[in-house]
């Protein structure tokens, strides 16, 4: 038999909306429900392999059931706006895929599906009907299988119901299931059945009397009971409910089985929708001929492997560029420069390249591959010659590696990094692949990197596996960088972020490249000693924990720990989940007054120190005893720099034992570490941006801001502020910056929520300008959809429009904090650039080796200490002009611990 799959569109879309995390495309359109719907649909189609497919949707209008009962579905909450906007979109997407979509005014999708199911069954077609609505079980038949998705543990499975399955689960046949639903009622549809009748009692009544009619035909014979009284009283409701829950299988829907024939899902029309929605996983299903992009592009790619041909290419290119008559190499002056797109796929730390792809005019890409007589040094020399031509602007996809390979003075001033620019325009993404840029700015589809490079973890591995994929990838990147440059640079200007890009982000890439090349020296023996110290402490804590527990167990096993704490020891505060008791940090920290819990928390911390740092860091130490972390400037939405492989910005500092790890980081021979750290930079920025006179005055007087805050918030003289009150005031000060709630503050400082509320209220009464500033910032964010830093960096906040209250609250906290944290990040970047340039321009040998939030670490030669100290203090404290002074604390030491 042929088979048709019928899908209840609204039901599955609703399930997908709540089952898939919120997703938006680059235009801000919510797409999570559409993505989840397609996943479920394709899973069903893969399993069923039908010849026909139809999806039915409800129409936003009254139905015949509303005419019978105006209050029908009257208690339902309005559809979330993020879901509502996806309903017409999914219908357009399905139609573009040549999928039959049905709606019928005056009827529900259930009626449409029921009618089509019965028609298909009559024509000898097997029916598989997918819906989350169990009302449809009533049409289950020998050749009509009802399929209901269920999600458990994040995995979607599908339950199947033929008549026997319905009877097994509910004790009644599909036809009698209608009367069961009528007796029970349906609160979700505001359908009232008989009071007190649930599934079991309904099944028992119907088993005995066969139907609602049978029940009421024998009502007088029933023994007196509350159920009998309810049946008599609610008789009218029961019959009305039966009308409402009965699916109309003879609705006037126009349906021709030929229209439901599955055709070509992946065609030019659907390609445009998938591209707009940015469903990369589905774009892979389209071939090059469908999109018309990839196939045509590769016809324009030229690959050179011959030295003479390569030299001829570069000679002609150089001559053409020199004869162009351009005189300006200023990247911001688009009318008087020559854009040259160069991509050199190169791994971090490489001293050479495998190839270079060049694009200087539309629709032409040439890739020169090393090998034979063509060497990396030859290519790099030729590239330097090209980039030194007046008027040439270097378009790149990866400026950091290019800066270090080419090492041309002031190259950053004439470089345009398309990834960094794309990041500024859409900082909520985590990756800015060439295929994203092609789709977002050119409306084109190109193969994904993994399609061309396979599972290679580096360009070197990709080249070894076979150069063809890497050559194609390199050519695509060079072409997309060139083609997207006008649109991206223009949009940067429109968004007011070109200055931020040119003056901060591009020079910063040069600084980060230098830091990555330099690395930071690590003493292996000190790390080993540190690991042994941690191991000894773990043994001590193990012994103490086992003694207190009265037995040995796996301390790092949440399940075993939960049993010990909350069953054997009966400690208060246990929260049982499906997998056992929660032993998360926030749960245990509330119990830290219990000796065993304090030991367990310390054991966890020491264990992480040992595994992640003491034992983990040696894997990253290069033969010259240096660790070279990767610094990222396109990861965080606020603009902060981050690091990975390893993350050196996350070195613990809260405990003395954690800080001890810094002893393993040492300066180069003949050097000391010079460390400069901004003092309370975010609070100072808050004072400036809010313009609060009280806070500005406190900083101007050079007062202890936390002590002053404590005195004013807690109502005590400044000389009577205790250390405890100062710590609480410090928590309030920094908590306000992050939009902390009274609950969060109470948890942080160990007071009641009421006390925390009073502290926050007193704070805002003391500093009224801050309250006004934060409120205004949130309102502007709601209106504009984003916040900005002092330097124009924009941070979109889509959460502010989310229908979920918790998400909106999160969005408000982001709105309060992002301008402050983002401005602090911008100021630190300005300082880094200024310090790096000073060290370089004065011919000093000292180098920046680490940046950790508000801190800079310089590998400083002993004969340069005084000058480096002056440079650090001057450049950091003059990086921005605020209403309060920026202060940088300066220290030196023989290791990072001592310098800090």
């Amino acid at each position: 038999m042929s088979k048709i799959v019928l899908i209840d569109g609204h039901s599955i879309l609703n399930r997908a909306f709540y089952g898939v995390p919120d997703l938006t495309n680059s235009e801000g359109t919510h797409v999570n429900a559409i993505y989840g719907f397609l996943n479920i649909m394709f899973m069903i189609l893969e399993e069923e392999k039908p010849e026909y497919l139809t999806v039915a949707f409800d129409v936003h209008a009254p139905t015949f059931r509303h005419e019978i009962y105006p209050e029908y579905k009257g208690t339902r909450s309005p559809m979330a706006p993020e879901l509502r906007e996806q309903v017409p979109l999914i219908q357009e997407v399905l139609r573009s895929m040549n999928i039959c979509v049905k709606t019928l005014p005056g009827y529900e999708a259930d009626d449409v599906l029921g009618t089509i199911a019965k028609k298909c069954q009559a024509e000898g077609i097997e029916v598989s009907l997918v819906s989350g609505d169990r009302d449809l079980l009533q049409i289950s038949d020998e050749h009509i299988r009802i399929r209901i998705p269920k999600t458990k543990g994040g995995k979607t499975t599908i339950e199947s119901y033929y008549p026997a399955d319905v009877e097994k689960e509910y004790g009644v046949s599909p036809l009698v299931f209608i009367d069961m639903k009528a007796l029970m009622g349906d609160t979700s549809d505001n359908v009232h059945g008989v009071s007190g009748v649930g599934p079991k009692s309904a099944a028992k009544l119907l088993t005995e009397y066969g139907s609602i009619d049978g029940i009421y035909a024998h009502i007088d014979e029933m023994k007196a009971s509350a159920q009998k009284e309810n049946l008599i009283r609610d008789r009218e409701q029961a019959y009305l409910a039966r009308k409402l829950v009965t699916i109309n299988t003879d609705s006037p829907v126009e349906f021709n089985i030929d229209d439901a024939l599955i055709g070509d899902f992946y065609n030019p029309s659907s390609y445009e929708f998938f591209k707009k929605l940015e469903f990369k996983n589905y774009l892979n299903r389209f071939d090059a001929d469908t999109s018309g992009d990839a196939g045509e592009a590769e016809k324009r790619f030229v690959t050179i492997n011959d030295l003479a041909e390569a030299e001829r290419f570069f000679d002609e290119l150089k001559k053409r560029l020199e004869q162009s008559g351009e005189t300006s190499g200023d990247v911001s002056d688009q009318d008087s420069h020559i854009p040259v797109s160069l991509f050199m796929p190169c791994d971090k730390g490489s001293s050479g390249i495998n190839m270079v792809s060049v694009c200087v005019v539309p629709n032409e890409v040439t890739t020169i591959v090393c090998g034979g007589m063509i060497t990396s040094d030859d290519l790099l020399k030729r590239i330097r010659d090209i980039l030194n031509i007046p008027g040439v602007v270097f378009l790149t996809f990866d400026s950091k590696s290019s800066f270090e390979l080419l090492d041309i003075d002031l190259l950053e001033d004439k470089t345009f990094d398309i990834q960094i620019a794309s990041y500024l325009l859409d900082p909520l993404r985590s990756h800015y692949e060439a295929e994203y840029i092609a789709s977002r700015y050119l409306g084109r589809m190109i193969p994904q990197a993994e399609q061309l490079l396979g599972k290679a973890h580096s360009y070197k591995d990709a080249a070894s596996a076979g150069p063809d994929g890497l050559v194609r990838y390199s050519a695509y990147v060079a072409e997309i960088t060139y083609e997207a440059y006008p649109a991206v640079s223009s949009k940067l200007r429109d968004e007011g972020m070109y200055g931020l890009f040119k003056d901060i982000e591009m020079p910063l890439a040069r600084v980060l490249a230098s830091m990555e090349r330099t690395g930071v020296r690590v003493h292996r023996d000190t790390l080993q000693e540190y690991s042994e110290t941690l191991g000894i402490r773990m043994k001590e804590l193990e012994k103490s924990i086992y003694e207190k527990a009265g037995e040995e167990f796996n301390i790092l096993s949440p399940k075993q720990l939960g049993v010990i704490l909350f069953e054997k020891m009966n400690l208060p505060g246990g929260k049982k989940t499906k997998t056992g008791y929660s032993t998360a940090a926030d749960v245990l920290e509330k119990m830290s007054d219990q000796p065993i819990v304090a030991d367990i928390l310390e054991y966890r911390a020491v264990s992480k120190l040992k595994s992640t740092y003491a034992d983990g860091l040696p894997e990253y130490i290069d033969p010259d005893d240096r660790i070279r972390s990767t610094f990222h400037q396109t990861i965080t939405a606020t603009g902060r720099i981050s690091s990975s492989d390893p993350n050196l910005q996350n070195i613990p500092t809260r405990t003395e034992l954690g800080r001890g790890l810094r002893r393993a980081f040492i300066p180069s021979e003949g050097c000391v570490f010079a460390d400069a750290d901004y003092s309370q930079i975010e609070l100072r920025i808050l004072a400036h941006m809010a313009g609060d006179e009280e806070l500005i005055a406190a900083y101007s007087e050079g007062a202890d801001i936390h002590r002053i805050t404590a005195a004013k918030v807690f109502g005590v003289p400044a000389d009577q502020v205790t250390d405890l009150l100062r710590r609480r005031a410090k928590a309030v000060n920094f908590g306000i910056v992050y939009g902390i709630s009274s609950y969060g503050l109470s948890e942080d400082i160990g007071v009641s929520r009421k006390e925390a509320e009073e502290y926050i209220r007193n704070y805002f009464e003391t500093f009224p300008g801050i309250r006004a500033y934060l409120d205004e910032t949130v309102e502007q964010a709601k209106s504009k959809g984003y916040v900005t830093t002092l330097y124009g960096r924009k941070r979109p906040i889509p959460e502010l429009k989310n229908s979920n209250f918790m998400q909106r609250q999160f969005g408000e906290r982001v709105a309060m904090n992002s301008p402050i944290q983002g401005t602090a990040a911008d100021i630190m970047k300005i300082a880094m650039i200024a310090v790096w340039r000073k060290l370089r321009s004065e011919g000093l040998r000292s180098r920046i080796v680490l940046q950790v939030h508000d801190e800079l670490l310089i590998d400083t030669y002993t004969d340069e200490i005084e000058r480096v100290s002056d440079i650090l203090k001057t450049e950091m404290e003059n990086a921005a002009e605020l209403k309060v002074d920026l202060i940088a604390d300066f220290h030196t030491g023989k290791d990072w611990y001592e310098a800090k």
Side-chain angles (χ1 to χ4, degrees):
M1 294 179 69
S2 297
K3 183 188 291 186
I4 186 171
V5 165
L6 303 176
I7 298 178
D8 183 345
H10 268 99
S11 172
I12 301 305
L13 194 68
N14 188 72
R15 165 175 286 276
F17 177 75
Y18 291 103
V20 177
D22 189 26
L23 298 172
T24 57
N25 67 358
S26 55
E27 296 177 354
T29 303
H30 294 271
V31 297
N32 62 318
I34 299 171
Y35 187 76
F37 181 99
L38 293 172
N39 283 343
I40 293 173
M41 183 184 79
F42 283 123
M43 180 175 69
I44 292 285
L45 295 179
E46 178 64 26
E47 180 183 340
E48 298 276 6
K49 295 182 171 52
E51 288 80 12
Y52 304 96
L53 172 65
T54 295
V55 183
F57 287 91
D58 293 319
V59 176
H60 186 60
T63 66
F64 72 88
R65 292 180 178 84
H66 291 91
E67 295 176 7
I68 298 171
Y69 180 55
E71 291 80 19
Y72 180 65
K73 294 189 176 180
T75 56
R76 284 200 176 181
S77 301
M79 185 182 293
E82 297 88 352
L83 173 58
R84 187 185 303 115
E85 73 178 46
Q86 297 182 66
V87 175
L89 256 180
I90 184 63
Q91 293 183 33
E92 290 182 66
V93 170
L94 294 173
R95 288 190 175 101
S96 76
M97 298 172 70
N98 300 314
I99 293 173
C100 181
V101 175
K102 290 294 178 182
T103 58
L104 185 62
Y107 294 82
E108 294 181 54
D110 287 0
D111 303 312
V112 173
L113 293 168
T115 301
I116 294 174
K118 291 298 183 181
K119 283 184 177 180
C120 289
Q121 182 188 33
E123 293 178 19
I125 298 172
E126 192 80 15
V127 177
S128 189
L129 196 161
V130 185
S131 173
D133 188 349
R134 290 181 179 266
D135 285 359
L136 283 159
L137 293 177
Q138 64 187 263
I139 68 166
S140 172
D141 211 333
E142 183 181 352
H143 296 291
I144 300 177
R145 178 168 64 158
I146 309 301
R147 309 208 65 192
I148 299 180
K150 284 186 70 176
T151 302
K152 188 175 182 181
K155 185 177 181 182
T156 298
T157 55
I158 311 241
E159 294 179 344
S160 297
Y161 291 89
Y162 282 113
D165 303 303
V166 177
E167 194 151 358
K168 181 179 179 182
E169 182 159 339
Y170 293 98
V172 297
S173 67
L175 189 61
V176 178
F177 184 74
I178 299 172
D179 285 2
M180 177 182 239
K181 289 284 292 184
L183 290 170
M184 292 163 52
D186 189 339
T187 55
S188 67
D189 288 342
N190 197 30
V191 173
H192 304 287
V194 176
S195 302
V197 175
K200 289 184 179 179
S201 51
K204 185 176 180 182
L205 285 167
L206 292 169
T207 299
E208 186 171 353
Y209 299 108
S211 65
I212 287 180
D213 294 334
I215 291 170
Y216 284 106
H218 296 86
I219 192 78
D220 294 334
E221 301 169 15
M222 294 183 188
K223 293 180 181 179
S225 65
Q227 184 183 76
K228 180 178 179 179
E229 291 178 13
N230 290 339
L231 283 166
I232 293 170
R233 185 186 68 246
D234 296 337
R235 176 173 181 158
E236 189 175 332
Q237 281 187 182
Y239 277 103
L240 174 61
R242 185 161 71 172
K243 288 181 181 179
L244 295 174
V245 302
T246 301
I247 291 173
N248 185 330
T249 57
D250 194 26
S251 64
V253 59
E254 293 184 8
F255 178 76
N256 186 318
I257 190 64
D258 292 336
D259 294 337
L261 187 66
I262 291 177
D264 181 15
F265 290 157
Y266 309 109
N267 57 73
S269 177
S270 60
Y271 167 75
E272 291 302 321
F273 272 107
F274 279 80
K275 187 170 63 174
K276 178 182 177 182
L277 297 173
E278 297 173 10
F279 290 166
K280 292 197 304 179
N281 291 344
Y282 288 125
L283 284 174
N284 289 336
R285 302 186 182 196
F286 293 85
D287 57 34
D289 292 336
T290 300
S291 68
D293 287 343
E296 287 301 313
E298 294 197 22
K299 293 177 184 177
R300 303 191 293 268
F301 295 166
V302 174
T303 303
I304 295 175
N305 297 281
D306 178 73
L307 177 61
E309 193 176 347
E311 289 180 339
R312 185 164 51 251
F313 169 81
F314 278 115
D315 289 340
E316 291 176 358
L317 176 60
K318 186 177 180 182
K319 184 178 179 181
R320 184 198 314 177
L321 296 175
E322 288 175 336
Q323 291 177 345
S324 66
E326 306 291 351
T327 58
S328 171
D330 184 352
V331 71
S332 63
D333 186 4
Q334 282 188 300
D335 294 328
S336 62
H337 71 236
I338 318 159
V340 175
S341 175
L342 298 165
F343 181 61
M344 302 171 283
C346 176
D347 300 315
K348 188 182 81 170
S350 296
S351 58
I353 57 176
N354 292 314
M355 63 189 68
V356 60
S357 292
V358 185
C359 185
V360 293
V361 293
N363 305 325
E364 288 185 21
V365 184
T366 301
T367 303
I368 300 93
V369 182
C370 291
M373 299 294 290
I374 302 177
T375 68
S376 172
D377 289 343
D378 290 337
L379 284 187
L380 290 173
K381 181 181 181 302
R382 288 288 196 165
I383 293 166
R384 291 188 191 99
D385 289 344
I386 296 296
L387 296 180
N388 277 319
I389 295 172
V392 164
V393 164
F394 175 29
L395 308 185
T396 176
F397 189 73
D398 180 12
S399 55
K400 270 198 309 177
S401 64
S402 300
F403 287 152
E404 286 310 296
L405 284 167
L406 299 169
D407 197 25
I408 301 173
D409 283 341
L410 298 180
L411 179 59
E412 64 269 21
D413 289 344
K414 57 186 294 180
T415 299
F416 190 98
D417 188 316
I418 201 87
Q419 279 199 89
I420 294 174
S422 299
Y423 156 72
L424 289 178
L425 294 171
D426 186 8
L428 300 187
R429 292 182 64 86
S430 56
H431 299 287
Y432 301 86
E433 310 92 338
E435 56 265 31
Y436 159 73
I437 295 169
S439 172
R440 178 75 179 86
Y441 297 104
L442 300 174
R444 285 184 53 189
M445 173 189 150
I446 64 171
Q448 286 185 279
E450 50 264 38
Q451 288 179 269
L452 299 173
L453 305 180
K455 297 182 179 180
H457 296 293
S458 66
Y459 292 133
K460 182 179 178 181
D461 290 345
S464 300
D468 288 349
L470 184 57
V471 168
R472 292 171 62 204
Y473 173 76
S474 181
Y476 272 119
V477 172
E479 181 189 41
I480 293 305
T481 300
Y482 183 88
E483 297 285 355
Y485 167 59
V488 175
S489 60
S490 176
K491 189 165 179 60
L492 274 178
R493 287 181 173 82
D494 292 343
E495 295 292 332
M497 287 191 285
Y498 205 94
L500 172 69
F501 170 80
K502 178 178 179 289
D503 300 330
I504 298 179
E505 294 295 346
M506 287 312 307
L508 177 71
R510 185 76 187 271
V511 177
L512 298 181
S514 173
M515 290 166 60
E516 288 184 3
R517 179 173 63 178
T518 303
V520 60
R521 190 177 174 210
V522 180
H523 198 279
R524 294 176 185 268
D525 291 345
T526 304
L527 264 186
Q528 179 60 37
E529 291 167 8
Y530 183 67
S531 176
E532 291 169 1
T533 300
L534 295 175
I536 291 169
R537 182 57 184 152
M538 286 178 68
K539 290 293 183 184
E540 293 171 350
L541 289 167
E542 278 181 2
K543 183 179 179 182
S544 175
I545 292 166
Y546 294 156
E547 286 176 355
K548 292 180 175 72
E551 66 176 270
E552 293 188 5
F553 63 100
N554 183 353
I555 301 169
L556 296 177
S557 165
K559 188 172 183 180
Q560 292 183 37
L561 180 59
V563 171
I564 292 291
L565 296 181
F566 303 118
E567 291 186 6
K568 181 176 180 181
M569 300 184 71
N570 290 316
L571 295 183
K575 294 180 181 178
K576 195 152 191 180
T577 66
K578 292 180 181 179
T579 56
Y581 291 97
S582 172
T583 59
D586 60 332
V587 173
L588 295 188
E589 282 167 4
K590 293 176 184 177
M591 305 161 54
S592 58
D593 56 332
Q594 300 283 344
I596 189 172
V597 176
D599 285 348
I600 289 164
L601 287 170
E602 185 181 352
Y603 183 87
R604 284 182 175 178
V606 175
S607 175
K608 180 173 176 60
L609 279 173
K610 190 174 190 305
S611 60
T612 304
Y613 299 106
D615 298 338
L617 287 179
E619 298 177 18
Y620 295 98
I621 301 176
D622 290 333
D624 61 355
D625 292 332
R626 305 184 85 84
I627 285 179
R628 291 175 170 84
S629 178
T630 299
F631 294 98
H632 305 278
Q633 64 186 114
T634 62
I635 297 293
T636 66
T638 58
R640 273 192 165 188
I641 300 166
S642 62
S643 85
S644 66
D645 304 315
N647 182 358
L648 295 182
Q649 295 187 327
N650 205 28
I651 300 293
T653 58
R654 285 191 174 187
T655 65
E656 180 61 29
L657 194 59
R659 285 192 293 272
L661 175 61
R662 293 189 171 209
R663 290 192 174 93
F665 292 82
I666 59 174
S668 303
E669 290 293 336
C671 294
V672 297
F673 274 150
D675 184 284
D677 193 357
Y678 276 121
S679 171
Q680 301 169 359
I681 186 172
E682 292 188 353
L683 277 177
R684 293 172 188 271
I685 291 169
L686 175 62
H688 171 85
M689 296 181 82
D692 186 272
E693 294 179 3
E694 288 286 334
L695 194 53
I696 292 171
Y699 272 120
S700 298
E701 293 164 8
D704 180 338
I705 194 66
H706 301 314
R707 191 168 295 279
I708 292 294
T709 301
K712 295 189 175 186
V713 170
F714 304 132
V716 297
D719 59 359
Q720 293 182 26
V721 172
T722 63
D723 289 343
L724 175 61
L725 288 179
R726 186 183 182 281
R727 283 197 300 273
R728 288 182 174 178
K730 184 176 180 180
V732 175
N733 271 325
F734 287 112
I736 294 298
V737 173
Y738 286 87
I740 199 168
S741 65
S742 56
Y743 172 76
L745 182 60
S746 68
E747 292 286 297
D748 282 354
I749 63 177
V751 299
S752 69
R753 190 167 181 176
K754 187 176 181 181
E755 285 180 282
E757 284 177 358
E758 185 179 351
Y759 293 163
I760 293 174
R761 184 172 60 254
N762 289 346
Y763 182 92
F764 286 132
E765 287 175 358
T766 302
F767 305 114
I770 294 176
R771 171 81 281 174
Y773 163 74
L774 293 176
D775 289 344
E776 183 182 355
T777 300
V778 171
E779 288 308 308
Q780 287 182 354
K782 288 178 179 178
S783 171
K784 296 179 178 179
Y786 62 85
V787 292
T788 59
T789 70
L790 286 179
Y791 297 89
R793 183 185 303 276
K794 292 184 178 179
R795 202 286 193 192
I797 313 177
E799 295 87 354
L800 288 171
K801 294 183 179 179
N802 198 293
S803 60
N804 182 285
F805 174 76
M806 297 299 289
Q807 283 293 303
R808 291 198 304 276
Q809 289 288 97
F810 170 75
E812 290 186 9
R813 292 195 297 275
V814 170
M816 294 178 197
N817 173 250
S818 288
I820 300 164
Q821 191 180 110
T823 298
D826 289 342
I827 290 173
M828 172 53 84
K829 290 177 177 180
I830 292 168
M832 290 174 69
I833 294 163
V835 170
W836 184 84
R837 283 178 171 169
K838 274 287 186 185
L839 295 175
R840 189 176 174 92
S841 66
E842 295 187 14
L844 299 175
R845 295 171 294 162
S846 301
R847 294 286 181 265
I848 303 174
V849 291
L850 278 180
Q851 181 273 335
V852 181
H853 307 314
D854 306 329
E855 175 188 3
L856 271 184
L857 189 67
I858 312 291
D859 205 4
T860 308
Y861 281 84
T862 53
D863 60 344
E864 297 177 353
I865 292 174
E866 186 175 347
R867 184 62 190 129
V868 168
S869 171
D870 288 342
I871 290 172
L872 269 177
K873 193 163 183 64
T874 300
E875 300 303 336
M876 289 183 71
E877 293 186 348
N878 290 283
E881 290 186 11
L882 305 180
K883 294 171 185 174
V884 298
D885 291 336
L886 285 174
I887 302 297
D889 297 324
F890 179 82
H891 303 280
T892 60
K894 66 179 185 300
D895 56 43
W896 192 10
Y897 177 88
E898 190 176 281
K900 180 61 178 172

